[in-house]
Amino acid sequence: MASLVTSLTLPFALAGPAFARSGNTGPAPACVAMYQSWRYTEAANNCAYAVSVKVVYQDGATGLCSTLPARASATVGEGYLGQHGHSDHLAACE
C-alpha cells in the first residue's frame, strides 16, 4: 500500500512551481502603482521613464518581469485567487 501512495504523489512532488522564488531585488520606484483584483494584478507606471517590474506574492513567489513604458499600465500577474494568493508588492527587475 505504501508503494501505491508513493507512486501517486511522486509526479506532483516533481512538478516545479510556476513562478520563481523572490531574489534580492529592490522595490519598484514609488511612481509605479499596483492594483490587484480576484483575477489579475496590474501595474500603472506613472513615471516619466520606462520601468521593468515583477510581482512579489505573499508566499515569496515572484512573477515574470514586465517592462512598462512611461505613463502606461498592464497586467503583470495573477489575481488573489491564483496559485500564490495576494500580491505583496512590486519589485524592480534585475
Side-chain angles (χ1 to χ4, degrees), residues 2-3 10 20 24 27-28 31 46 50 52 55-56 60 67-68 74 77 81 84 91 94:
S3 63
L10 187 57
N24 292 332
C31 52
N46 299 312
S52 293
V55 179
V56 179
T67 300
L68 299 157
L81 290 182
H84 301 288
E94 297 174 342

Side-chain angles (χ1 to χ4, degrees), residues 2-87:
S3 63
L4 178 60
V5 172
T6 303
S7 66
L8 292 176
T9 58
L10 187 57
F12 296 109
L14 295 177
F19 291 83
R21 291 289 167 197
S22 180
N24 292 332
T25 59
C31 52
V32 180
M34 179 183 72
Y35 309 96
Q36 187 178 36
S37 69
W38 66 273
R39 193 168 182 188
Y40 300 112
T41 298
E42 296 190 22
N45 180 6
N46 299 312
C47 306
Y49 50 89
V51 296
S52 293
V53 296
K54 61 184 171 184
V55 179
V56 179
Y57 296 92
Q58 288 179 339
D59 69 354
T62 59
L64 301 174
C65 286
S66 298
T67 300
L68 299 157
R71 311 281 187 239
S73 61
T75 300
V76 294
E78 59 188 32
Y80 55 80
L81 290 182
Q83 177 181 358
H84 301 288
H86 288 276
S87 55

